[in-house]
Amino acid sequence: MQPFHYSRPSSLGDALMQWQGSVANSSDTTSAAFLAGGTTLVDLMKLEVIQPQRIIDLRALSATYEAIRVDDSSLRLGAFAKMADVAGHRDVLNNFPVIAQSLSLAASAQLRNMATLGGNVLQKTRCAYYRDPSWEACNKRAPGSGCAALEGANRQHAILGTSEHCIATYHGDFGQALIALDASVVLSGPNGVRAIPFASLHRQPANTPHTETNLQLGEIITEFIVPILPWARRSLYLKIRDRQSYEFAVASAAVAMELEGGIVRDVRIALGGVATAPWRAREAEDRLRGHTIDEARAAEAAHIAFVNAVPQSHNAFKVPLGQSTLVRALLDVASMEVSNG
Amino acid sequence: MDDDRIKNKPVSEGRRRFLIGSAHTGAAALLLGGGGGVATAKAGTASTSEQVQPDIRATIPTELNVNGMSHRADLDSRMTLLDALREKFGLTGAKKGCDHGQCGACTVLIDGRRELSCLTLSVAAQGREVVTIEGLAENDGRLHPMQQAFIDHDALQCGYCTPGQILSAVSCVREGHAGSSEEIREYMSGNICRCAAYTNIVAAVAQVSQQMGE
């Protein structure tokens, strides 16, 4: 780990001022980093993948931005809420099962106690070539250097949203749940406060894999807003992985469905473990709306979801696995018993 | 580095206090690469204030609450809680397995919840209450029920992962996630055991869970 200055500002305003102060004297905007739970940042600093000269510890903001609240129209999740607390929250368990499941199936109990929601959605890929700086070629870590995964061990890598510059998978789970529930995210930064759809937070790699989000410089996620929509209760997260627990998804699906008299009124599908960012399968959704759901129709939708997949040398299996995962998720969500109370 | 480490011997209470005392001397920061002087920040300067320290290698006067006692040391900002416990305070119960948050050997309780000390910066742990395996037994030496259960069920082989397993297990029961063998396995999955003592670990957790009337 490289040396760094440490500070713990007492408020959001102080944190933003400190960030601006530290990058003002530097041409490198990555010279300062915000610390929340630390489960990604400290790990990558030890690996010297990320080497900030200044760490701005946001712990003091937790008290202000960790509440879990339900009002008339939405579930509001403070970005500093810990994964474990949201996963075990009664309202979340009862009314937003896909959120509870995406969180409780992630990482380990210890990590869920540490990691914040905001940090979770900003977690870095687990691509082994990104995480090991002894590999020269990684466009995410060293823009313009190439991508070692293209010719390397790419079984874990993405098949949707890739480019010739990067095929790293987005490994998070919670992000898919937020896509499935049409959530938005509240950002505070040097230019003020704004809210954007969560679906537009992440970017696909294209030819700038090192730019992973649409966050403006110095912006901090303060809150997630999940609207209470008819399909939130009939929702689930299905995570398929190489071992049963404490492992990243090889393929996953977050599905939320509004079902009326056996007809799909509306549906949201987000895929994980197979894409470069939290991935919404819109065309697959379109295939289901207005129809009854059975295995054949679910399989049609799943086929459409992966029709543009670009498998690499070691991960062609992700196409049928991803399709099967989605079929099972759709059939399971359709058979859920959901009360309207 | 502290040169008064004890190998292969239990640390007596008196000895432990001495070790803790020695931490007050504040070892110099570890220097990586080229030389350069070590500027130790003056005692009493708040590490959390807005001041920008002139030297990025300056140590930070740090106060940590571990097992109900205050520990002070001038620490490098990079030093993890795990390294501070082991290298500065003589509390070698928490183990360094992977050092990347993947194995659970370094699990401690922070503010009553199980967390990973290898991914926690010492300076960031100030103001929080840390409990390690050394702080789990009663003052009169009586073992915590979970420690006793691990003995009763032979829930360890080499013992390296055991402190982390026990602290994780205590939390697992406290959290209410020890209702069945399946649930115990899921909520203990963050603690890897290379000897694969899992069957007996699950039995130990289940016993304590029943004792505590879950």
Side-chain angles (χ1 to χ4, degrees):
Chain A
M1 201 186 304
Q2 292 300 310
F4 57 85
H5 288 298
Y6 171 87
S7 63
R8 197 192 293 190
S10 56
S11 69
L12 180 66
D14 283 352
L16 295 175
M17 266 174 34
Q18 289 187 11
W19 186 86
Q20 283 179 289
S22 57
V23 297
N25 316 323
S26 167
S27 57
D28 178 11
T29 51
T30 61
S31 63
F34 292 121
L35 173 68
T39 55
T40 290
L41 183 63
V42 177
D43 179 35
L44 290 173
M45 285 168 68
K46 288 184 180 194
L47 295 168
E48 301 201 337
V49 172
I50 299 177
Q51 304 182 59
Q53 288 160 25
R54 177 161 193 157
I55 292 296
I56 301 170
D57 185 351
L58 301 180
R59 177 165 298 281
L61 277 59
S62 295
T64 313
Y65 300 107
E66 67 181 358
I68 305 165
R69 292 175 295 144
V70 178
D71 60 27
D72 291 346
S73 62
S74 61
L75 166 71
R76 302 179 81 99
L77 301 169
F80 287 80
K82 299 289 197 287
M83 290 171 70
D85 295 326
V86 180
H89 194 275
R90 185 179 303 272
D91 287 329
V92 178
L93 282 163
N94 290 343
N95 301 318
F96 307 90
V98 65
I99 292 180
Q101 291 162 20
S102 71
L103 292 167
S104 63
L105 292 171
S108 69
Q110 291 95 314
L111 289 162
R112 293 192 297 268
N113 280 341
M114 301 170 74
T116 62
L117 297 187
N120 175 283
V121 302
L122 297 177
Q123 69 181 277
K124 300 292 188 179
T125 181
R126 308 298 291 194
C127 170
Y129 301 101
Y130 170 78
R131 287 175 54 84
D132 182 352
S134 66
W135 293 94
E136 279 177 30
C138 173
N139 288 322
K140 216 181 248 308
R141 187 165 27 81
S145 60
C147 172
L150 286 169
E151 303 296 320
N154 50 37
R155 178 180 178 274
Q156 291 282 357
H157 287 71
I159 55 174
L160 294 169
T162 58
S163 72
E164 60 187 318
H165 304 284
C166 183
I167 57 170
T169 303
Y170 174 81
H171 278 98
D173 298 299
F174 176 54
Q176 278 72 257
L178 292 171
I179 294 246
L181 297 184
D182 280 357
S184 53
V185 55
V186 182
L187 311 168
S188 286
N191 301 320
V193 179
R194 64 185 180 124
I196 61 171
F198 177 78
S200 63
L201 178 65
H202 291 85
R203 296 164 57 133
Q204 289 168 36
N207 56 4
T208 53
H210 57 286
T211 308
E212 298 180 331
T213 69
N214 290 312
L215 285 175
Q216 292 166 3
L217 287 176
E219 275 191 325
I220 295 169
I221 300 176
T222 56
E223 194 175 32
F224 298 94
I225 301 175
V226 184
I228 300 177
L229 294 169
W231 55 82
R233 273 192 162 188
R234 185 180 292 281
S235 67
L236 60 79
Y237 188 69
L238 177 61
K239 185 174 182 180
I240 305 299
R241 38 193 165 170
D242 290 335
R243 64 180 178 205
Q244 185 64 26
S245 182
Y246 196 18
E247 184 55 275
F248 295 98
V250 184
S252 72
V255 179
M257 188 181 284
E258 186 186 0
L259 206 58
E260 206 172 281
I263 306 289
V264 178
R265 289 290 303 273
D266 209 345
V267 62
R268 290 287 182 281
I269 298 169
L271 303 173
V274 293
T276 52
W279 186 268
R280 184 170 171 187
R282 285 177 191 274
E283 294 79 7
E285 295 170 6
D286 294 341
R287 191 69 194 84
L288 297 169
R289 282 193 194 89
H291 296 282
T292 55
I293 191 153
D294 58 17
E295 187 164 349
R297 187 161 315 267
E300 274 180 49
H303 174 78
I304 291 168
F306 286 88
V307 78
N308 293 322
V310 180
Q312 301 297 323
S313 46
H314 298 289
N315 66 5
F317 76 98
K318 283 196 176 188
V319 176
L321 183 70
Q323 290 170 335
S324 302
T325 302
L326 180 52
V327 169
R328 196 173 117 197
L330 288 169
L331 294 176
D332 284 354
V333 86
S335 64
M336 277 175 69
E337 288 189 22
V338 178
S339 67
N340 294 320
Chain B
M1 305 304 286
D2 293 335
D3 56 359
D4 49 12
R5 307 276 301 285
I6 309 174
K7 303 250 186 332
N8 309 322
K9 258 196 265 180
V11 181
S12 69
E13 190 57 37
R15 178 68 186 169
R16 206 165 108 190
R17 224 174 281 125
F18 169 76
L19 285 170
I20 290 162
S22 73
H24 288 274
T25 58
L30 184 68
L31 283 171
L32 295 179
V38 178
T40 304
K42 285 195 185 71
T45 50
S47 57
T48 54
S49 73
E50 289 233 358
Q51 61 170 358
V52 176
Q53 294 173 24
D55 182 354
I56 203 165
R57 297 187 188 277
T59 54
I60 300 172
T62 306
E63 182 176 358
L64 292 169
N65 179 323
V66 185
N67 301 329
M69 296 174 68
S70 170
H71 296 257
R72 291 170 196 267
D74 292 338
L75 300 180
D76 190 302
S77 61
R78 292 168 291 180
M79 184 169 262
T80 61
L81 176 60
L82 175 62
D83 287 341
L85 292 170
R86 293 180 56 82
E87 310 292 338
K88 295 292 181 186
F89 306 148
L91 297 168
T92 54
K95 295 294 185 285
K96 185 178 284 200
C98 67
D99 211 26
H100 285 279
Q102 296 171 14
C103 76
C106 69
T107 302
V108 297
L109 305 183
I110 306 184
D111 290 339
R113 291 159 46 126
R114 47 174 160 167
E115 297 194 5
L116 300 175
S117 58
C118 78
L119 292 181
T120 303
L121 296 172
S122 297
V123 286
Q126 294 183 103
R128 308 184 72 200
E129 290 185 9
V130 180
V131 173
T132 70
I133 193 72
E134 290 93 339
L136 205 56
E138 300 290 337
N139 288 336
D140 62 7
R142 273 183 307 143
L143 294 179
H144 184 281
M146 190 64 76
Q147 291 172 302
Q148 189 59 53
F150 267 61
I151 295 169
D152 295 345
H153 289 275
D154 198 21
L156 59 142
Q157 290 182 46
C158 82
Y160 195 79
C161 72
T162 310
Q165 295 279 3
I166 289 175
L167 287 166
S168 203
V170 168
S171 294
C172 184
V173 173
R174 274 190 202 159
E175 292 161 6
H177 290 310
S180 66
S181 292
E182 195 177 31
E183 192 180 24
I184 292 167
R185 272 190 272 271
E186 168 60 32
Y187 281 88
M188 289 294 291
S189 69
N191 293 80
I192 310 296
C193 173
R194 281 297 301 270
C195 308
Y198 297 116
T199 305
N200 294 358
I201 291 170
V202 171
V205 179
Q207 173 184 297
V208 175
S209 177
Q210 284 158 6
Q211 281 172 355
M212 297 175 78
E214 195 188 276

Short mmCIF file of all heavy atoms in Angstrom, two decimals, chain A residues 46-94:
data_model
loop_
_atom_site.label_atom_id
_atom_site.label_comp_id
_atom_site.label_asym_id
_atom_site.label_seq_id
_atom_site.Cartn_x
_atom_site.Cartn_y
_atom_site.Cartn_z
N LYS A 46 -4.29 -2.27 -1.01
CA LYS A 46 -3.27 -3.25 -0.66
C LYS A 46 -2.66 -3.87 -1.91
O LYS A 46 -1.47 -4.16 -1.95
CB LYS A 46 -3.87 -4.37 0.20
CG LYS A 46 -4.19 -3.95 1.62
CD LYS A 46 -4.69 -5.17 2.40
CE LYS A 46 -5.02 -4.79 3.83
NZ LYS A 46 -5.16 -5.98 4.69
N LEU A 47 -3.52 -4.08 -2.92
CA LEU A 47 -3.03 -4.66 -4.18
C LEU A 47 -2.34 -3.61 -5.05
O LEU A 47 -1.77 -3.95 -6.09
CB LEU A 47 -4.21 -5.27 -4.95
CG LEU A 47 -4.90 -6.48 -4.30
CD1 LEU A 47 -6.21 -6.80 -5.00
CD2 LEU A 47 -3.98 -7.70 -4.32
N GLU A 48 -2.42 -2.35 -4.64
CA GLU A 48 -1.87 -1.21 -5.38
C GLU A 48 -2.50 -1.07 -6.77
O GLU A 48 -1.89 -0.60 -7.72
CB GLU A 48 -0.34 -1.26 -5.43
CG GLU A 48 0.24 -1.25 -4.02
CD GLU A 48 1.69 -0.81 -3.91
OE1 GLU A 48 2.41 -0.91 -4.93
OE2 GLU A 48 2.08 -0.35 -2.82
N VAL A 49 -3.77 -1.47 -6.83
CA VAL A 49 -4.57 -1.21 -8.04
C VAL A 49 -5.07 0.23 -7.98
O VAL A 49 -5.12 0.93 -8.99
CB VAL A 49 -5.76 -2.19 -8.11
CG1 VAL A 49 -6.71 -1.81 -9.24
CG2 VAL A 49 -5.25 -3.62 -8.31
N ILE A 50 -5.42 0.67 -6.78
CA ILE A 50 -5.83 2.05 -6.54
C ILE A 50 -4.83 2.64 -5.55
O ILE A 50 -4.53 2.01 -4.54
CB ILE A 50 -7.26 2.11 -5.95
CG1 ILE A 50 -8.26 1.49 -6.93
CG2 ILE A 50 -7.65 3.55 -5.64
CD1 ILE A 50 -9.68 1.45 -6.40
N GLN A 51 -4.29 3.82 -5.86
CA GLN A 51 -3.24 4.38 -5.00
C GLN A 51 -3.50 5.85 -4.71
O GLN A 51 -2.74 6.71 -5.13
CB GLN A 51 -1.87 4.19 -5.66
CG GLN A 51 -1.57 2.74 -5.99
CD GLN A 51 -0.20 2.55 -6.61
OE1 GLN A 51 0.81 2.88 -6.01
NE2 GLN A 51 -0.17 2.01 -7.82
N PRO A 52 -4.58 6.14 -3.97
CA PRO A 52 -4.86 7.54 -3.66
C PRO A 52 -3.84 8.10 -2.67
O PRO A 52 -3.32 7.37 -1.82
CB PRO A 52 -6.25 7.50 -3.03
CG PRO A 52 -6.39 6.11 -2.51
CD PRO A 52 -5.53 5.22 -3.36
N GLN A 53 -3.57 9.39 -2.80
CA GLN A 53 -2.66 10.02 -1.84
C GLN A 53 -3.42 10.59 -0.66
O GLN A 53 -2.84 11.02 0.32
CB GLN A 53 -1.88 11.14 -2.53
CG GLN A 53 -0.85 10.60 -3.50
CD GLN A 53 -0.42 11.63 -4.51
OE1 GLN A 53 -0.51 12.83 -4.26
NE2 GLN A 53 0.02 11.17 -5.67
N ARG A 54 -4.74 10.59 -0.81
CA ARG A 54 -5.55 11.10 0.29
C ARG A 54 -6.81 10.26 0.44
O ARG A 54 -7.49 9.98 -0.54
CB ARG A 54 -5.94 12.54 0.02
CG ARG A 54 -6.85 13.08 1.10
CD ARG A 54 -6.90 14.57 1.13
NE ARG A 54 -7.53 14.96 2.38
CZ ARG A 54 -7.37 16.13 2.95
NH1 ARG A 54 -6.59 17.01 2.39
NH2 ARG A 54 -7.98 16.41 4.07
N ILE A 55 -7.08 9.86 1.66
CA ILE A 55 -8.30 9.12 1.97
C ILE A 55 -9.20 10.03 2.81
O ILE A 55 -8.77 10.53 3.85
CB ILE A 55 -7.98 7.83 2.77
CG1 ILE A 55 -7.23 6.84 1.90
CG2 ILE A 55 -9.26 7.21 3.31
CD1 ILE A 55 -8.02 6.32 0.73
N ILE A 56 -10.39 10.24 2.32
CA ILE A 56 -11.36 11.05 3.05
C ILE A 56 -12.41 10.10 3.60
O ILE A 56 -13.23 9.56 2.86
CB ILE A 56 -11.99 12.12 2.12
CG1 ILE A 56 -10.88 13.02 1.56
CG2 ILE A 56 -13.04 12.93 2.87
CD1 ILE A 56 -11.32 13.95 0.44
N ASP A 57 -12.33 9.87 4.91
CA ASP A 57 -13.19 8.89 5.58
C ASP A 57 -14.57 9.51 5.82
O ASP A 57 -14.69 10.51 6.52
CB ASP A 57 -12.52 8.50 6.92
CG ASP A 57 -13.27 7.39 7.64
OD1 ASP A 57 -14.38 7.02 7.22
OD2 ASP A 57 -12.72 6.89 8.64
N LEU A 58 -15.58 8.86 5.25
CA LEU A 58 -16.94 9.42 5.33
C LEU A 58 -17.75 8.87 6.51
O LEU A 58 -18.96 9.01 6.54
CB LEU A 58 -17.68 9.15 4.02
CG LEU A 58 -17.04 9.73 2.75
CD1 LEU A 58 -17.88 9.39 1.53
CD2 LEU A 58 -16.85 11.25 2.86
N ARG A 59 -17.08 8.21 7.46
CA ARG A 59 -17.81 7.57 8.55
C ARG A 59 -18.77 8.52 9.27
O ARG A 59 -19.87 8.14 9.67
CB ARG A 59 -16.83 6.98 9.58
CG ARG A 59 -17.53 6.37 10.79
CD ARG A 59 -16.61 5.49 11.59
NE ARG A 59 -16.11 4.38 10.81
CZ ARG A 59 -16.81 3.27 10.56
NH1 ARG A 59 -18.04 3.15 11.02
NH2 ARG A 59 -16.29 2.30 9.87
N ALA A 60 -18.36 9.79 9.40
CA ALA A 60 -19.19 10.75 10.14
C ALA A 60 -20.52 11.01 9.42
O ALA A 60 -21.46 11.51 10.03
CB ALA A 60 -18.43 12.05 10.35
N LEU A 61 -20.59 10.69 8.14
CA LEU A 61 -21.84 10.92 7.40
C LEU A 61 -22.87 9.83 7.64
O LEU A 61 -24.05 9.99 7.32
CB LEU A 61 -21.56 11.00 5.89
CG LEU A 61 -21.08 12.34 5.33
CD1 LEU A 61 -19.78 12.80 5.97
CD2 LEU A 61 -20.91 12.25 3.83
N SER A 62 -22.41 8.71 8.21
CA SER A 62 -23.31 7.56 8.38
C SER A 62 -24.59 7.93 9.11
O SER A 62 -25.69 7.57 8.69
CB SER A 62 -22.59 6.44 9.14
OG SER A 62 -21.53 5.94 8.37
N ALA A 63 -24.43 8.66 10.21
CA ALA A 63 -25.60 8.97 11.03
C ALA A 63 -26.68 9.68 10.22
O ALA A 63 -27.87 9.46 10.42
CB ALA A 63 -25.17 9.82 12.23
N THR A 64 -26.26 10.53 9.30
CA THR A 64 -27.21 11.31 8.50
C THR A 64 -27.80 10.50 7.35
O THR A 64 -28.94 10.72 6.95
CB THR A 64 -26.50 12.55 7.92
OG1 THR A 64 -25.75 13.17 8.96
CG2 THR A 64 -27.50 13.54 7.35
N TYR A 65 -27.01 9.58 6.81
CA TYR A 65 -27.42 8.91 5.57
C TYR A 65 -27.47 7.39 5.70
O TYR A 65 -27.00 6.68 4.82
CB TYR A 65 -26.47 9.30 4.43
CG TYR A 65 -26.44 10.78 4.14
CD1 TYR A 65 -25.34 11.55 4.51
CD2 TYR A 65 -27.51 11.41 3.49
CE1 TYR A 65 -25.30 12.91 4.25
CE2 TYR A 65 -27.48 12.76 3.23
CZ TYR A 65 -26.37 13.51 3.61
OH TYR A 65 -26.35 14.86 3.35
N GLU A 66 -28.00 6.89 6.83
CA GLU A 66 -28.10 5.44 6.94
C GLU A 66 -29.52 4.96 7.24
O GLU A 66 -29.75 3.77 7.47
CB GLU A 66 -27.13 4.91 8.03
CG GLU A 66 -27.51 5.36 9.43
CD GLU A 66 -26.54 4.86 10.49
OE1 GLU A 66 -25.58 4.14 10.13
OE2 GLU A 66 -26.73 5.19 11.67
N ALA A 67 -30.47 5.87 7.19
CA ALA A 67 -31.84 5.50 7.54
C ALA A 67 -32.49 4.64 6.45
O ALA A 67 -32.16 4.74 5.27
CB ALA A 67 -32.67 6.76 7.77
N ILE A 68 -33.39 3.77 6.89
CA ILE A 68 -34.20 2.96 5.99
C ILE A 68 -35.65 3.37 6.28
O ILE A 68 -36.16 3.12 7.37
CB ILE A 68 -34.02 1.45 6.27
CG1 ILE A 68 -32.53 1.08 6.19
CG2 ILE A 68 -34.87 0.61 5.33
CD1 ILE A 68 -32.19 -0.27 6.78
N ARG A 69 -36.29 4.04 5.31
CA ARG A 69 -37.62 4.59 5.57
C ARG A 69 -38.58 4.24 4.44
O ARG A 69 -38.19 4.17 3.29
CB ARG A 69 -37.56 6.12 5.69
CG ARG A 69 -36.80 6.61 6.93
CD ARG A 69 -36.68 8.12 6.89
NE ARG A 69 -35.85 8.54 5.76
CZ ARG A 69 -36.07 9.64 5.05
NH1 ARG A 69 -37.10 10.42 5.34
NH2 ARG A 69 -35.27 9.98 4.04
N VAL A 70 -39.83 4.03 4.83
CA VAL A 70 -40.87 3.82 3.83
C VAL A 70 -41.89 4.94 3.97
O VAL A 70 -42.39 5.20 5.07
CB VAL A 70 -41.58 2.46 4.02
CG1 VAL A 70 -42.70 2.28 2.99
CG2 VAL A 70 -40.58 1.33 3.90
N ASP A 71 -42.15 5.66 2.89
CA ASP A 71 -43.23 6.65 2.93
C ASP A 71 -44.34 6.21 1.97
O ASP A 71 -44.36 5.07 1.52
CB ASP A 71 -42.71 8.07 2.63
CG ASP A 71 -42.05 8.18 1.27
OD1 ASP A 71 -42.42 7.41 0.37
OD2 ASP A 71 -41.17 9.05 1.10
N ASP A 72 -45.25 7.11 1.63
CA ASP A 72 -46.41 6.73 0.83
C ASP A 72 -46.03 6.15 -0.53
O ASP A 72 -46.69 5.25 -1.03
CB ASP A 72 -47.32 7.95 0.60
CG ASP A 72 -48.00 8.37 1.90
OD1 ASP A 72 -47.95 7.55 2.84
OD2 ASP A 72 -48.55 9.47 1.95
N SER A 73 -44.98 6.68 -1.10
CA SER A 73 -44.71 6.32 -2.49
C SER A 73 -43.41 5.57 -2.71
O SER A 73 -43.16 5.07 -3.81
CB SER A 73 -44.69 7.59 -3.35
OG SER A 73 -43.64 8.43 -2.90
N SER A 74 -42.55 5.52 -1.68
CA SER A 74 -41.25 4.92 -1.95
C SER A 74 -40.56 4.36 -0.71
O SER A 74 -40.91 4.70 0.43
CB SER A 74 -40.33 5.96 -2.61
OG SER A 74 -40.14 7.06 -1.73
N LEU A 75 -39.62 3.50 -0.98
CA LEU A 75 -38.66 3.03 0.02
C LEU A 75 -37.41 3.87 -0.17
O LEU A 75 -36.89 3.99 -1.28
CB LEU A 75 -38.34 1.55 -0.22
CG LEU A 75 -37.12 0.97 0.51
CD1 LEU A 75 -37.40 0.83 2.01
CD2 LEU A 75 -36.74 -0.39 -0.09
N ARG A 76 -36.96 4.49 0.92
CA ARG A 76 -35.77 5.33 0.83
C ARG A 76 -34.66 4.69 1.64
O ARG A 76 -34.80 4.45 2.84
CB ARG A 76 -36.07 6.74 1.34
CG ARG A 76 -37.20 7.40 0.56
CD ARG A 76 -37.52 8.79 1.09
NE ARG A 76 -36.60 9.79 0.59
CZ ARG A 76 -36.86 10.60 -0.42
NH1 ARG A 76 -38.02 10.50 -1.06
NH2 ARG A 76 -35.99 11.50 -0.81
N LEU A 77 -33.57 4.39 0.96
CA LEU A 77 -32.44 3.71 1.59
C LEU A 77 -31.26 4.66 1.63
O LEU A 77 -30.76 5.08 0.57
CB LEU A 77 -32.06 2.46 0.78
CG LEU A 77 -33.14 1.39 0.61
CD1 LEU A 77 -32.71 0.35 -0.42
CD2 LEU A 77 -33.42 0.73 1.95
N GLY A 78 -30.82 5.01 2.82
CA GLY A 78 -29.62 5.84 2.94
C GLY A 78 -28.43 5.09 2.37
O GLY A 78 -28.28 3.89 2.59
N ALA A 79 -27.58 5.80 1.64
CA ALA A 79 -26.46 5.13 0.96
C ALA A 79 -25.42 4.61 1.94
O ALA A 79 -24.59 3.78 1.57
CB ALA A 79 -25.82 6.09 -0.03
N PHE A 80 -25.46 5.09 3.19
CA PHE A 80 -24.50 4.62 4.19
C PHE A 80 -25.07 3.50 5.06
O PHE A 80 -24.41 3.03 5.97
CB PHE A 80 -23.98 5.78 5.04
CG PHE A 80 -23.02 6.66 4.28
CD1 PHE A 80 -23.50 7.62 3.39
CD2 PHE A 80 -21.65 6.51 4.41
CE1 PHE A 80 -22.63 8.42 2.66
CE2 PHE A 80 -20.78 7.30 3.69
CZ PHE A 80 -21.26 8.26 2.80
N ALA A 81 -26.30 3.08 4.76
CA ALA A 81 -26.85 1.91 5.44
C ALA A 81 -25.99 0.70 5.08
O ALA A 81 -25.50 0.57 3.97
CB ALA A 81 -28.29 1.67 4.99
N LYS A 82 -25.81 -0.17 6.08
CA LYS A 82 -25.01 -1.36 5.84
C LYS A 82 -25.87 -2.44 5.15
O LYS A 82 -27.06 -2.57 5.42
CB LYS A 82 -24.48 -1.91 7.17
CG LYS A 82 -23.58 -0.93 7.93
CD LYS A 82 -22.25 -0.79 7.21
CE LYS A 82 -21.17 -0.17 8.08
NZ LYS A 82 -21.37 1.25 8.31
N MET A 83 -25.21 -3.21 4.30
CA MET A 83 -25.93 -4.26 3.57
C MET A 83 -26.73 -5.16 4.52
O MET A 83 -27.88 -5.49 4.25
CB MET A 83 -24.93 -5.12 2.79
CG MET A 83 -24.30 -4.41 1.61
SD MET A 83 -22.95 -5.39 0.90
CE MET A 83 -23.85 -6.75 0.13
N ALA A 84 -26.12 -5.53 5.64
CA ALA A 84 -26.77 -6.46 6.58
C ALA A 84 -28.05 -5.86 7.15
O ALA A 84 -29.05 -6.57 7.32
CB ALA A 84 -25.81 -6.83 7.71
N ASP A 85 -28.02 -4.56 7.43
CA ASP A 85 -29.17 -3.93 8.05
C ASP A 85 -30.34 -3.82 7.09
O ASP A 85 -31.51 -3.94 7.48
CB ASP A 85 -28.79 -2.55 8.60
CG ASP A 85 -27.76 -2.66 9.72
OD1 ASP A 85 -27.84 -3.65 10.48
OD2 ASP A 85 -26.89 -1.80 9.83
N VAL A 86 -30.04 -3.59 5.82
CA VAL A 86 -31.11 -3.50 4.83
C VAL A 86 -31.65 -4.90 4.52
O VAL A 86 -32.86 -5.10 4.43
CB VAL A 86 -30.60 -2.81 3.55
CG1 VAL A 86 -31.71 -2.71 2.51
CG2 VAL A 86 -30.06 -1.42 3.88
N ALA A 87 -30.74 -5.87 4.43
CA ALA A 87 -31.16 -7.25 4.11
C ALA A 87 -32.09 -7.81 5.17
O ALA A 87 -32.96 -8.64 4.87
CB ALA A 87 -29.93 -8.15 3.97
N GLY A 88 -31.93 -7.38 6.43
CA GLY A 88 -32.73 -7.92 7.51
C GLY A 88 -33.89 -7.03 7.93
O GLY A 88 -34.59 -7.34 8.89
N HIS A 89 -34.11 -5.93 7.20
CA HIS A 89 -35.14 -4.97 7.58
C HIS A 89 -36.53 -5.50 7.21
O HIS A 89 -36.75 -5.95 6.07
CB HIS A 89 -34.88 -3.63 6.88
CG HIS A 89 -35.68 -2.50 7.44
ND1 HIS A 89 -36.97 -2.23 7.03
CD2 HIS A 89 -35.38 -1.57 8.38
CE1 HIS A 89 -37.43 -1.17 7.70
NE2 HIS A 89 -36.47 -0.76 8.52
N ARG A 90 -37.46 -5.44 8.16
CA ARG A 90 -38.77 -6.06 7.96
C ARG A 90 -39.48 -5.55 6.70
O ARG A 90 -40.01 -6.33 5.90
CB ARG A 90 -39.65 -5.85 9.20
CG ARG A 90 -40.99 -6.55 9.14
CD ARG A 90 -41.78 -6.31 10.40
NE ARG A 90 -41.03 -6.74 11.58
CZ ARG A 90 -41.07 -8.00 12.06
NH1 ARG A 90 -41.78 -8.91 11.44
NH2 ARG A 90 -40.37 -8.32 13.12
N ASP A 91 -39.52 -4.24 6.52
CA ASP A 91 -40.22 -3.68 5.36
C ASP A 91 -39.60 -4.14 4.05
O ASP A 91 -40.30 -4.39 3.07
CB ASP A 91 -40.20 -2.14 5.40
CG ASP A 91 -41.13 -1.60 6.48
OD1 ASP A 91 -42.16 -2.25 6.75
OD2 ASP A 91 -40.82 -0.53 7.05
N VAL A 92 -38.29 -4.23 4.04
CA VAL A 92 -37.59 -4.66 2.82
C VAL A 92 -37.89 -6.12 2.55
O VAL A 92 -38.22 -6.51 1.42
CB VAL A 92 -36.07 -4.42 2.95
CG1 VAL A 92 -35.33 -4.91 1.71
CG2 VAL A 92 -35.77 -2.94 3.20
N LEU A 93 -37.80 -6.95 3.60
CA LEU A 93 -38.09 -8.38 3.45
C LEU A 93 -39.51 -8.62 2.94
O LEU A 93 -39.74 -9.43 2.05
CB LEU A 93 -37.90 -9.10 4.80
CG LEU A 93 -36.46 -9.40 5.21
CD1 LEU A 93 -36.38 -9.72 6.69
CD2 LEU A 93 -35.90 -10.57 4.39
N ASN A 94 -40.47 -7.89 3.50
CA ASN A 94 -41.87 -8.14 3.17
C ASN A 94 -42.27 -7.57 1.83
O ASN A 94 -43.05 -8.18 1.10
CB ASN A 94 -42.79 -7.53 4.26
CG ASN A 94 -42.68 -8.31 5.57
OD1 ASN A 94 -42.19 -9.44 5.57
ND2 ASN A 94 -43.12 -7.71 6.66
#
